[in-house]
Amino acid sequence: MKPAISNIESELLDKCSGLGISMVGFSPVERWENPPEELPQHFSNWIPREFWPQSIYPEAQTVVVIGLPVQLPIVETAPSIYYHELYETVNILLDEKAYEIANFLTLKGYPSIPLPRDGYGDIEVLLEKPLTFFSHKHAAYLAGLGSFGLNNILLTPEWGPRVRFTSIFTTLRLEGTPIPGDDLCTRCLSCAENCPVRAIESAYSDKGTSEGETGSATDFPPLINKISCATRSRKLRREYRSPCGICIKVCPVGEDRKLFERENTTMYTQRDGFEKYHQAWDHVRSYGSKKNNFQMI
């Protein structure tokens, strides 16, 4: 006999807590077809139907989204072997925890399946087709966990863009997590100005697209240049210091900045007054990869 939904939801949250999962959100699959009005951003070009969870697993009723943070002081060394190793570790943990949650729900009588965190074999694949079969950041967005930044990454109140997500499709029907509706992006342009390959659009308009006032007033953010971003990632991967991470570390959003005492983001572009940090980053970047990388950002 299946436990009552109210009980299983409580047990599921307890399970996530026991697994050390920092962020959890629920999104009914209907939110892909009818995005809630409370969402802080709406897009004239929405996710195609074949990417919806109910198209991938027709029995799906709810998407459970889980997130784990990447610690800011490690991200600050990026690109580096240190951030590379953290990135890989968090991905493995997400896959393991998603597998455990899916099994937990299945054994409770609600068949469920985990999704892989990345869903692509190699960066070369993304250069040919810069999409995966499911978007975890959009799932997190629809689960009320944050809003999109100019860098096209989901921003969260707790960790800014420094969170990795994955998803579980379940036949358990759960009430969706309330959507706060807050647009967290400050439009500071720091991500765009510091992008080494200028992949992030800075000449945007909140009233339309940069190609003329033809887009929706809420079509924010504009799409980044995925090919330029992936090309840089390929280069860094060959040097054992991918991913890039620069747009993630310079973003001012997130309570983690206060926690780690990193509220002044000029530390990334100015060495004066922040010498001890730059010396630490230079040291880390000097080892473990094919290229010594002394840089301001």
Side-chain angles (χ1 to χ4, degrees):
M1 182 178 178
K2 294 181 180 179
I5 289 179
S6 59
N7 292 338
I8 190 63
E9 179 177 349
S10 178
E11 290 181 31
L12 173 57
L13 291 172
D14 287 344
K15 177 69 173 179
C16 290
S17 177
L19 289 172
I21 296 171
S22 305
M23 303 185 71
V24 185
F26 306 140
S27 179
V29 297
E30 291 80 13
R31 287 185 176 180
W32 271 260
E33 186 167 5
N34 297 298
E37 288 298 320
E38 298 87 353
L39 289 168
Q41 295 135 340
H42 295 267
F43 306 96
S44 52
N45 294 314
W46 184 237
I47 306 168
R49 181 178 292 270
E50 60 266 30
F51 293 90
W52 296 357
Q54 58 269 50
S55 297
I56 299 168
Y57 182 43
E59 295 85 355
Q61 297 294 319
T62 307
V63 177
V64 178
V65 184
I66 60 174
L68 294 176
V70 288
Q71 289 81 6
L72 177 56
I74 302 178
V75 180
E76 287 173 339
T77 69
S80 71
I81 188 63
Y82 197 2
Y83 179 44
H84 171 84
E85 297 284 5
L86 174 66
Y87 187 90
E88 296 293 323
T89 297
V90 173
N91 280 355
I92 291 169
L93 288 171
L94 282 169
D95 285 343
E96 290 177 348
K97 293 176 192 295
Y99 179 84
E100 289 194 50
I101 292 169
N103 273 354
F104 169 81
L105 290 170
T106 298
L107 292 173
K108 292 290 184 179
Y110 298 96
S112 305
I113 58 173
L115 274 74
R117 171 54 194 89
D118 284 331
Y120 60 90
D122 188 79
I123 198 69
E124 299 291 344
V125 177
L126 289 184
L127 284 167
E128 294 181 13
K129 184 183 291 186
L131 291 171
T132 60
F133 68 85
F134 184 73
S135 171
H136 298 300
K137 66 182 181 182
H138 283 87
Y141 179 60
L142 291 172
L145 296 179
S147 67
F148 284 103
L150 183 61
N151 56 7
N152 285 210
I153 296 173
L154 197 81
L155 309 182
T156 66
E158 302 88 350
W159 305 97
R162 294 165 291 276
V163 182
R164 304 282 291 156
F165 293 103
T166 197
S167 308
I168 301 98
F169 294 168
T170 180
T171 57
L172 172 64
R173 178 170 287 277
L174 294 168
E175 184 176 347
T177 302
I179 296 171
D182 299 322
D183 185 348
L184 300 175
C185 183
T186 66
R187 287 18 176 215
C188 68
L189 302 183
S190 184
C191 59
E193 292 170 353
N194 289 297
C195 177
V197 293
R198 298 292 182 262
I200 302 171
E201 178 66 64
S202 59
Y204 71 91
S205 168
D206 279 329
K207 295 182 180 179
T209 68
S210 57
E211 299 176 354
E213 305 302 304
T214 57
S216 164
T218 49
D219 265 353
F220 177 90
L223 293 176
I224 66 167
N225 187 324
K226 294 182 180 180
I227 298 300
S228 294
C229 185
T231 300
R232 173 167 167 80
S233 292
R234 176 176 62 182
K235 176 180 181 294
L236 294 175
R237 189 163 185 167
R238 289 170 177 170
E239 297 168 356
Y240 304 106
R241 56 193 188 106
S242 64
C244 174
I246 289 175
C247 69
I248 294 174
K249 71 178 175 185
V250 301
C251 179
V253 178
E255 290 298 317
D256 59 336
R257 290 207 166 275
K258 184 176 181 180
L259 178 65
F260 287 110
E261 299 182 351
R262 301 293 207 276
E263 295 175 276
N264 187 351
T265 58
T266 61
M267 66 188 302
Y268 305 121
T269 55
Q270 297 180 13
R271 186 176 287 265
D272 290 346
F274 302 102
E275 290 86 356
K276 64 181 181 180
Y277 297 105
H278 284 267
Q279 289 168 6
W281 303 334
D282 290 345
H283 170 72
V284 171
R285 292 173 189 147
S286 297
Y287 298 92
S289 60
K290 285 188 175 181
K291 183 176 181 180
N292 295 339
N293 193 40
F294 295 97
Q295 57 182 39
M296 289 297 290
I297 290 292

